[in-house]
């Protein structure tokens, strides 16, 4: 059972995509697993003959537990039985790590900003900015992967997660100014930025306002490039109060609606039901959208951006059109991912993590 | 006597309106057109009006199953009341409460009550609201002699004293609980003394004399408004009708009610007093009574012509939201 | 996310709503504790210690210690709710409803309808229920079914600390009378509970375990039992969908019916007695609305039609547990 994100302790097998007896290649999607946060597909960690599904569908297994066996054809069934028995006898689930990083908060202009600070390294830190109605946990697949050898900080934007619910004017400039002051508070003069959707627009605004502080931009399905946006989706997202409405709204975010887990819906509803959130979302929506139009568009200023740009977009994004990537200046690296919706960093976590890490490293190398 | 002529007119208007209302309800009920059952207050008018004359909109009263008089004394709309008694959509409670559950919270009348004694804890709650929100209001709880034997009333009196709430209990002793005499049902025979044992002053007064009731209540209300806690009066006055309308009343003497009406009627006592003192004249009083009668006539005509609630009303107002 | 016990979560909900709205008061026996004596007035906080600390913060005007007079407590709460306060009355054990039933049944529940929609009664009655403490027949009953049957009352039966806080805040902000049932064995159970105030709407059940073979409906403390059963069943490849009702009035019929339409099987787990209760009500609902979907008879796992016994051995026999739930599921899955 893989460990996705810092808080994952167990996962439940939803469905095996590779049958017993099939030959699998490293990187193949072999099994769908549900965690507390989200459903995800596990890619084969090795190649070989998948001999056994040790954990059938609906079985919940602790992280590190055995879910399947890959072995050559000449290994007998009884040898596999013995291996499974030995594993189960010896396996001790990892206790919840007491020293695992936990979010903290600092005060920024009278607002508490909650953030998760992970990893260390000599390179510039990477700051991750989530989208509307999300929070720092939306980076749970990416942050640990990138934080090997680099400091990676994910934060909750005002109005989101465990940060203050006061969103001021609620427009992109407001969020950008909060981020700048947040970096001041942490004593960070220069950082890589990666932002998703609303967070993407905030990243662009920050790069325009403070070019000296932004080492590179990683834009994931960003807002702010063009005017079009799926206003119906936004209305649904903001209006959703109950499970059914939440599922309908959230499933528009992804290409494969099965990715929307029960707990993802529950987490979203818990967020929506927090005091101050409906008001905050209303302010942000008024400042950011008018029906199918975005109100904070930087299309004619993109040429001013000096930081190297990486842009990742799902081909099946139903929220913001992937064609907006064409508005980026020449030199921007654009990756369009197949079978991917508006959440590439969750739907194709490993690939997006690798792209973000490489972009940061390469941008920094160019600088020096 | 410190009441102005206007105050006296107001008091008399309220008393005769109650009398006209109740005498007419007795007649209307006999026609069979008024659903359910009604408990009439005629004979006890001086208690309700004496207790309520000095109240204003921030003050709350809690009533009994015999609640029409309390409603009128607190200023409820006569036509709204009559519509309610006829079970009409336009009634004070939309035709969903009826005589026994008539209420008008906008007027500070928090309800008649079909459960004997149940109103006492509720009025303690109104007192708690007044004290907590510092409204300056007082809460007046009417409690019948029968109800004083209920545990709920004992608990309410004790709690009001413990929390020093601005509550006044008005114990209406009309000598009979349903069909059983106070002499039998009240162990000590003395409601005022029993209430006083809870730790509050309780005066026993002649409930047929508006002026006596009013004067006693003046002290109680002032005490409550000053934050000095609860108090009460026991006011004695007979009811002229049965426990409920249609009650054969074979538990009391044949000419008992006639004697009450002839010798000690609260309206007659009031009239005599204000005429003797040359404060109001017969003409004044007769005119007020005629107005009251006309008001009740109009209310009955309106109620008879008004539509009943429809199917769409059955399932409304169960919850604020559900 | 901070871990809090259900006791802390409820205390926090009360404190935050009292801070937010000066009309919110707490009323009950010993809710301040020690009133009238020389000891520390804030030490007790009700027999379960749930209101501890509130007296110190809000004082005797907002945390109102009462005599042992349940009728007067409920009546005063109902009367104050109808006239402008938002009281939270504590009834030490729901068994004591027997003492003050009139004030709930005939007064608070009826005001709105009986007065033609002109009254609102934003009253919350917090009370404890359930067996397991050896408290026997007069201190262990699960009486939410009785109140669910009364129009005008809302009934909440939380199954964990997170829900308890959100549902209690919702109850306090709700304009109707709400009875909030707290299982006395759950006060020390911990859960992730945010520091911020939040609400959980009434009438939305929670799906706490996914599965496609059988629907298990549970509430309150029985949700833990049902989930434990579902986890064991999943080891044998039987998928159980566990629905936590959260509120019995309003009842989320839709979630129950949708689930049964998927699974075709229903087991209801309820700690209350079986007759005229929640389990029978939900069984009837499914029989009425989803009969064609059923692949097997409905099963109810409840306490028997008996008072709660004292002897621990008998009390254990009395209560539903995971093994009984598993047995019921196996009976209908075959």
């Amino acid at each position: 059972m893989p460990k996705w994100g810092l808080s994952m302790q167990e996962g439940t097998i939803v469905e095996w995509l590779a049958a017993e007896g099939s030959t699998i290649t490293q990187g193949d999607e072999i099994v769908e697993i549900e965690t507390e946060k989200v459903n995800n597909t596990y890619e084969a960690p090795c190649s070989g003959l998948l001999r056994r599904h040790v954990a059938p569908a609906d079985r919940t297994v602790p992280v590190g537990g055995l879910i399947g066996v890959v072995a050559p054809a000449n290994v007998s069934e009884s040898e596999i039985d013995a291996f499974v028995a030995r594993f189960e006898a010896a396996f001790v689930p990892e206790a919840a790590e007491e020293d695992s990083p936990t979010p903290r908060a600092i005060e920024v202009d009278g607002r508490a900003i909650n953030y998760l600070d992970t990893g260390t390294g000599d390179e510039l830190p990477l700051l991750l900015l989530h989208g509307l109605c999300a929070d720092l946990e939306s980076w749970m697949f990416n942050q640990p992967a990138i934080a090997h050898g680099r400091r990676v900080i994910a934060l909750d934007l005002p109005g989101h997660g465990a940060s203050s619910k006061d969103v001021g004017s609620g427009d992109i400039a407001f969020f950008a100014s909060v981020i700048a002051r947040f970096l001041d508070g942490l004593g960070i003069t220069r950082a890589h930025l990666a932002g998703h959707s609303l967070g993407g627009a905030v990243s662009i605004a920050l790069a325009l306002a403070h070019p000296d502080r932004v080492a590179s931009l990683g834009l994931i399905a960003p807002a702010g490039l063009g005017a079009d946006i799926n206003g119906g989706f936004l209305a649904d997202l903001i209006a959703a109060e109950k499970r059914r409405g939440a599922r309908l709204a959230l499933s528009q975010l992804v290409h494969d609606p099965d990715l929307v887990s029960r707990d993802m819906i529950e987490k979203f509803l818990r967020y929506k039901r927090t005091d101050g959130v409906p008001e905050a979302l209303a302010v942000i929506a008024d400042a950011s959208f008018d029906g199918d139009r975005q109100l904070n568009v930087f299309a004619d200023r993109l040429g001013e951006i000096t930081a190297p740009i990486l842009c990742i977009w799902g081909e099946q994004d139903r929220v913001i059109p992937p064609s907006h990537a064409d508005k980026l200046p020449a030199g921007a690296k654009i990756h369009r991912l197949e079978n991917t919706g508006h959440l590439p960093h969750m739907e194709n976590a490993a690939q997006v993590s690798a792209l973000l890490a490489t972009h940061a490293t390469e941008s920094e190398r160019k600088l020096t | 006597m410190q009441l102005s002529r206007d105050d006296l007119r107001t008091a008399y208007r309220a008393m005769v309106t109650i009398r006209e209302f109740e005498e007419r309800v007795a007649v209307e009920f006999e026609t069979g057109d008024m659903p359910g059952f009604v408990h009439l207050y005629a004979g006890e008018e001086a208690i309700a009006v004496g207790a309520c004359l000095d109240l204003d909109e921030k003050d709350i009263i809690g009533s009994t199953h015999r609640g029409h008089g309390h409603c009128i004394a607190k200023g409820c709309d006569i036509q709204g009341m009559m519509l309610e008694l006829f079970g009409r959509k336009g009634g004070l409670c939309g035709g969903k409460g009826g005589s026994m559950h008539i209420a008008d919270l906008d007027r500070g009348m928090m309800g008649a009550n079909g459960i004997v004694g149940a109103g006492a804890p509720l009025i303690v709650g109104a007192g708690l609201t007044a004290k907590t929100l510092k409204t300056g209001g007082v809460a007046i709880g009417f409690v019948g002699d029968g109800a004083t034997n209920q545990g709920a009333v004992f608990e309410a009196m004790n709690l009001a004293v413990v929390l020093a709430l601005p509550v006044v209990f008005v114990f209406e002793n009309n000598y009979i609980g349903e069909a059983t005499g106070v002499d039998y049902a009240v162990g000590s025979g003395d409601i005022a003394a029993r209430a006083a044992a809870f730790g509050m002053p309780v005066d026993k007064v002649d409930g047929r004399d508006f002026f006596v009731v009013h004067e006693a209540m003046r002290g109680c209300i002032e005490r409550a408004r000053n934050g000095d806690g609860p108090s009460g009066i026991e006011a004695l006055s007979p009811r002229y009708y049965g426990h409920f309308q249609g009650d054969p009343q074979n538990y009391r003497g044949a000419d008992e009610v006639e004697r009450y009406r002839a010798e000690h009627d609260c309206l007659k006592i009031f009239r005599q007093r204000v005429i003797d003192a040359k404060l109001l004249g017969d003409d004044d009083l007769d005119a007020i009574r005629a107005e009251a009668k006309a008001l009740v006539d109009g209310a009955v005509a309106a109620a008879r012509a008004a539509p009943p609630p429809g199917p769409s009303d059955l399932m409304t107002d169960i919850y604020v939201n559900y | 996310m901070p871990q809090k016990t259900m006791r802390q979560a409820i205390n926090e909900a009360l404190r935050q709503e009292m801070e937010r709205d000066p009309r919110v008061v707490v009323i009950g026996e010993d809710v301040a504790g020690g009133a009238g004596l020389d000891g520390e007035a804030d030490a007790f906080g009700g027999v379960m210690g749930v209101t501890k600390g509130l007296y110190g913060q809000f004082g005797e005007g907002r945390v109102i210690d009462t005599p042992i007079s349940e009728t007067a407590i409920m009546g005063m709460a109902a009367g104050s709710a109808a006239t402008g306060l938002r009281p939270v009355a504590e009834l030490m054990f729901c068994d004591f409803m027997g003492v003050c039933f009139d004030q709930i049944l005939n007064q608070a529940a009826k005001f709105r309808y009986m007065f033609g929609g002109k009254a609102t009664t934003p009253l919350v009655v917090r009370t404890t229920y359930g067996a397991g403490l050896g408290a026997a027949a007069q201190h262990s009953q699960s009486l939410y079914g009785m109140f669910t049957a009364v129009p005008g009352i809302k009934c909440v039966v939380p199954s964990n600390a997170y829900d308890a806080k959100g549902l209690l805040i919702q109850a306090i902000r709700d304009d109707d009378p709400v009875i909030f049932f707290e299982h006395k064995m759950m006060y020390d159970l911990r859960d992730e509970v945010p520091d911020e105030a939040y609400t959980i709407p009434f009438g939305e059940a929670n799906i706490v375990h996914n599965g496609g073979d059988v629907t298990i409906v549970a509430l309150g403390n029985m949700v833990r039992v049902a989930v434990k059963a579902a986890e064991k069943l999943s080891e044998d490849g039987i998928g159980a969908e566990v629905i936590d009702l959260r509120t019995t009035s309003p009842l989320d019929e839709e979630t129950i019916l949708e689930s049964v339409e998927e699974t075709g099987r229903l087991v209801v787990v309820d700690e209350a007695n079986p007759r005229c209760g929640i389990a029978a009500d939900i069984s009837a609902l499914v029989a009425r609305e989803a009969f064609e979907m059923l692949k097997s008879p409905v099963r109810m796992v409840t306490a028997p039609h008996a008072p709660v016994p004292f002897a621990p051995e008998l009390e254990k026999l009395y209560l539903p547990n995971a093994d009984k739930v598993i047995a019921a599921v196996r009976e209908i899955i075959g």
Side-chain angles (χ1 to χ4, degrees):
Chain A
M1 176 61 64
K3 183 174 174 71
W4 291 323
L6 295 162
S7 63
M8 177 171 168
Q9 290 181 23
E10 60 182 26
T12 303
I13 306 296
V14 176
E15 188 185 5
W16 280 94
L17 305 174
E20 284 184 347
S22 61
T23 302
I24 57 174
T25 308
Q26 186 175 354
D28 284 357
E29 296 187 341
I30 55 168
V31 58
E32 198 180 318
I33 294 172
E34 181 184 352
T35 74
E36 274 181 29
K37 313 291 181 192
V38 69
N39 290 357
N40 206 347
T41 309
Y42 183 45
E43 296 172 0
C46 59
S47 302
L49 187 60
L50 179 59
R51 293 289 302 276
R52 186 171 299 180
H53 297 163
V54 176
D58 285 340
R59 174 79 60 84
T60 300
V61 178
V63 165
L66 190 64
I67 60 170
V69 177
V70 175
N74 60 1
V75 175
S76 71
E77 287 293 322
S78 60
E79 282 176 284
I80 292 175
D81 288 345
F83 169 76
V84 171
R86 274 200 311 277
F87 183 94
E88 299 292 2
F91 175 62
V92 181
E94 183 187 342
E97 287 172 40
E98 290 302 323
D99 58 348
S100 69
T102 49
R104 281 174 284 169
I106 59 165
E107 197 170 302
V108 176
D109 295 339
R111 294 180 183 85
I113 299 296
N114 188 56
Y115 68 101
L116 181 65
D117 196 344
T118 59
T120 53
D122 297 333
E123 298 189 304
L124 291 171
L126 169 65
L127 186 64
L128 300 171
L129 303 177
H130 62 77
L132 185 69
C133 289
D135 61 23
L136 62 83
E137 286 197 18
S138 61
W139 303 105
M140 65 186 172
F141 300 125
N142 319 103
Q143 189 171 4
I146 308 171
H148 290 298
R150 182 186 297 279
R151 185 179 179 193
V152 183
I153 301 163
L155 59 74
D156 290 333
L157 291 171
H160 294 76
S163 289
S164 165
K165 301 301 179 286
D166 169 12
V167 294
S169 62
D171 58 9
I172 299 299
F174 160 77
F175 287 113
S177 72
V178 170
I179 302 306
R181 303 280 290 122
F182 170 80
L183 290 173
D184 293 344
L186 260 56
I188 296 172
T189 50
R190 191 168 166 79
H192 300 282
L193 290 185
H196 168 242
S197 197
L198 173 79
V202 175
S203 306
I204 294 168
L206 200 65
L208 286 168
H210 301 282
D212 52 317
R213 304 190 67 170
V214 180
S216 77
L217 274 183
L219 305 175
I220 303 168
L225 298 186
D228 316 335
I229 192 161
N230 183 345
F233 160 77
L234 292 168
D236 289 351
L237 191 74
I238 286 167
E241 285 180 348
K242 295 198 166 188
R243 205 167 44 240
R244 177 190 303 273
R247 178 182 291 284
L248 286 173
L250 294 177
S251 59
Q252 294 182 64
L253 280 170
V254 289
H255 175 59
D256 176 3
D258 285 347
L259 285 180
V260 179
S261 70
R262 171 167 57 78
D263 289 297
M264 187 174 172
I265 293 166
E266 174 70 11
K267 183 172 152 50
F268 172 72
L269 288 176
R270 286 183 175 203
Y271 163 66
K272 295 286 298 280
R273 292 165 181 173
T274 304
D275 269 16
V277 167
E279 296 81 0
L281 291 177
V283 171
I284 296 170
D286 279 352
S288 308
F289 321 110
D290 180 8
D292 287 327
R293 257 174 8 92
Q294 300 184 40
L295 299 177
N296 302 281
V297 179
F298 301 97
D300 51 2
R301 292 193 62 197
L302 296 172
E304 300 169 31
I305 297 174
T306 51
I309 299 173
L310 164 73
C311 181
I312 302 168
W313 224 306
E315 296 272 20
Q316 280 75 35
D317 193 325
R318 285 179 280 170
V319 178
I320 303 177
S323 60
H324 283 192
D326 301 339
K327 299 177 192 291
L328 287 167
K333 286 176 285 182
I334 299 169
H335 289 262
R336 297 177 199 277
L337 308 185
E338 288 177 8
N339 299 324
T340 304
H342 189 59
L343 302 179
H345 54 306
M346 302 184 94
E347 297 174 78
N348 272 300
Q351 195 177 351
V352 170
S353 300
L355 285 169
L356 289 174
T358 306
H359 180 61
T361 304
E362 285 179 356
S363 303
E364 212 159 321
R365 210 169 279 152
K366 271 181 214 157
L367 289 171
T368 55
Chain B
M1 194 180 298
Q2 298 153 356
L3 289 166
S4 69
R5 284 186 168 80
D6 276 350
D7 287 337
L8 293 171
R9 283 194 192 90
T10 303
Y12 189 70
R13 177 172 287 109
M15 287 169 64
V16 291
T17 304
I18 296 171
R19 180 66 57 88
E20 291 291 341
F21 188 93
E22 296 292 64
E23 303 275 24
R24 183 65 182 272
V25 167
V27 172
E28 296 298 322
F29 188 80
E30 294 299 320
T31 67
D33 295 337
M34 193 176 274
F37 37 96
V38 291
H39 306 88
L40 300 179
Y41 192 73
E44 303 180 62
E45 292 87 345
I47 305 175
V49 176
C52 293
L53 188 70
D54 291 348
L55 302 184
D56 61 32
E57 297 205 334
K58 62 183 182 293
D59 301 317
I60 310 276
I61 68 164
S63 177
T64 68
H65 59 285
R66 200 175 300 288
H68 307 164
H70 306 137
C71 284
I72 294 170
K74 192 68 173 59
C76 293
D77 178 60
I78 300 299
Q79 186 165 317
M81 287 179 64
M82 194 62 85
L83 261 70
E84 187 59 35
L85 265 58
F86 273 94
R88 303 305 197 214
K89 185 178 169 74
L92 277 187
C93 304
K96 287 173 167 175
S99 163
M100 247 192 310
H101 312 113
I102 195 161
D104 188 351
L105 282 129
D106 295 340
R107 294 271 171 179
M109 159 60 188
M110 70 180 292
N113 210 307
I115 309 296
V116 171
L122 296 173
I123 204 67
V124 171
L128 181 69
T129 300
K131 184 179 180 182
T132 306
L133 300 183
K134 300 183 172 62
T135 65
V138 299
I140 312 286
F142 292 95
V143 180
D145 51 76
T148 67
N149 300 318
Q150 285 276 34
V153 176
F154 286 22
E155 290 190 21
M157 289 191 283
N158 184 56
L159 189 55
V161 171
V162 168
L163 299 179
L165 297 177
V167 174
V168 182
F169 295 98
V170 179
F171 302 105
E172 297 180 314
N173 184 347
N174 62 23
Y175 320 146
I176 312 168
E178 299 184 20
T180 300
V182 166
D183 290 351
Y184 174 86
V186 176
S188 72
D190 189 340
I191 291 169
R194 197 166 62 179
F198 282 94
M200 59 183 168
V202 183
D203 274 347
K204 192 189 289 267
V205 300
D206 182 351
R208 300 166 302 187
D209 185 335
F210 162 82
F211 297 98
V212 169
V213 173
H214 179 256
E215 194 55 33
M217 284 299 291
R218 187 198 295 273
C220 293
I221 291 168
E222 191 180 308
R223 179 184 159 85
R225 288 210 204 282
N226 290 341
D228 295 330
S231 57
I233 64 168
E234 178 190 355
L236 293 92
S237 181
R239 54 166 148 91
Y240 292 169
Y241 289 88
H243 168 54
F244 52 88
Q245 180 53 356
D247 168 5
Q249 298 190 69
N250 44 16
Y251 46 80
R252 54 182 178 181
D255 59 348
E256 195 179 313
V257 172
E258 299 319 311
R259 215 171 54 241
Y260 294 145
R261 282 183 183 266
E263 296 170 12
H264 296 291
D265 180 66
C266 61
L267 294 178
K268 288 179 181 166
I269 293 172
F270 183 95
R271 176 180 284 254
Q272 197 61 52
R273 201 73 62 80
V274 294
I275 287 174
D276 288 353
K278 300 189 175 8
L279 288 164
L280 298 176
D282 276 319
D283 294 352
D284 253 344
L285 297 168
D286 290 344
I288 290 171
R289 181 144 198 170
E291 283 167 24
K293 186 174 183 313
L295 186 63
V296 171
D297 286 348
V300 170
R304 286 192 167 276
S312 64
D313 299 309
L314 179 65
M315 296 303 290
T316 57
D317 299 324
I318 301 166
Y319 296 93
V320 179
N321 51 65
Y322 194 60
Chain C
M1 182 86 60
Q3 292 271 334
K4 290 167 196 161
T5 63
M6 187 145 149
R7 177 184 287 108
Q8 290 168 327
I10 292 169
N11 181 280
E12 191 168 276
L14 291 169
R15 184 164 48 74
Q16 289 177 338
E17 287 307 286
M18 290 180 80
E19 285 169 352
R20 199 180 68 90
D21 187 343
R23 297 171 300 173
V24 178
V25 298
V26 166
I27 301 171
E29 293 160 12
D30 310 311
V31 291
L37 299 176
D38 288 338
E40 191 188 337
D42 214 3
F44 206 52
V47 289
M48 303 297 177
V50 175
T51 54
K52 196 169 175 170
L54 298 179
Y55 181 86
Q57 184 174 351
F58 300 102
E60 65 180 9
R62 304 275 306 280
V63 181
I64 300 160
D65 219 310
T66 69
I68 303 173
S69 304
E70 284 84 6
T71 293
I73 293 168
M74 288 308 141
M76 181 170 76
S80 65
T83 52
L85 292 183
R86 304 187 80 87
V88 181
E90 180 173 306
L91 185 69
M92 204 179 291
F93 296 90
C94 76
D95 314 67
F96 302 171
M97 289 287 186
V99 184
C100 56
F101 199 21
D102 176 66
Q103 291 294 336
I104 309 272
L105 172 74
N106 287 317
Q107 310 300 329
K110 302 294 192 284
F111 285 165
R112 185 159 188 81
Y113 194 79
M114 191 163 76
F115 298 159
K118 287 186 189 162
T120 52
T121 313
L123 159 69
V124 180
V125 178
R126 286 184 42 247
T127 190
T128 66
Y129 76 98
L133 270 186
Q138 296 175 341
H139 287 73
S140 302
Q141 294 170 88
S142 298
L143 298 177
Y144 33 75
M146 270 189 196
F147 295 91
T148 301
V150 178
I153 294 284
K154 294 174 179 173
C155 286
V156 181
V157 192
S159 71
N160 60 73
Y162 174 86
D163 282 7
K165 179 174 171 182
L167 289 165
L168 183 55
I169 291 176
Q170 177 73 28
I172 293 170
R173 295 181 190 178
D174 197 286
D175 280 333
D176 290 311
V178 178
I179 307 185
F180 193 87
F181 289 87
E182 301 163 13
H183 199 292
K184 49 182 94 71
M185 300 300 283
M186 292 172 66
Y187 280 122
D188 291 317
L189 297 184
R190 282 174 190 279
D191 196 12
E192 287 190 347
V193 179
D195 292 334
E196 292 170 287
Y198 58 91
T199 56
I200 296 174
F202 290 169
E204 186 174 71
N206 196 15
I207 299 171
V208 292
H209 192 276
N210 285 116
D213 299 318
V214 59
T215 299
I216 304 179
V217 174
L219 73 168
N221 200 33
M222 288 298 110
V223 173
R224 290 194 292 155
V225 169
V227 168
K228 194 173 163 194
E231 283 169 354
K232 282 193 182 165
L233 287 164
S234 90
E235 288 171 15
D236 298 327
I238 298 173
E241 181 142 286
V242 179
I243 295 175
D244 172 2
L245 291 178
R246 281 181 173 156
T247 63
T248 58
S249 176
L251 179 69
D252 184 355
E253 300 186 356
E254 196 176 272
T255 294
I256 299 167
L257 293 171
E258 275 179 6
S259 177
V260 171
E261 281 169 14
E262 287 291 315
T263 63
R265 296 182 185 89
L266 173 69
V267 174
V268 191
V269 189
D270 182 8
E271 184 179 335
N273 305 116
R275 300 287 313 280
C276 303
I278 301 297
D281 191 57
I282 289 169
S283 302
L285 166 77
V286 168
R288 198 170 64 235
E289 304 291 339
F291 187 74
E292 304 80 7
M293 302 295 172
L294 286 174
K295 297 173 187 159
S296 67
V298 169
R299 284 285 178 267
M300 301 190 349
V301 181
T302 68
H305 187 65
V308 182
F310 170 64
E313 295 77 8
L314 290 179
E315 192 181 39
K316 202 172 164 209
L317 285 172
Y318 179 90
L319 283 170
N321 58 33
D323 288 341
K324 292 181 189 177
V325 177
I326 290 167
V329 170
R330 291 198 183 287
E331 246 180 73
I332 58 173
I333 285 191

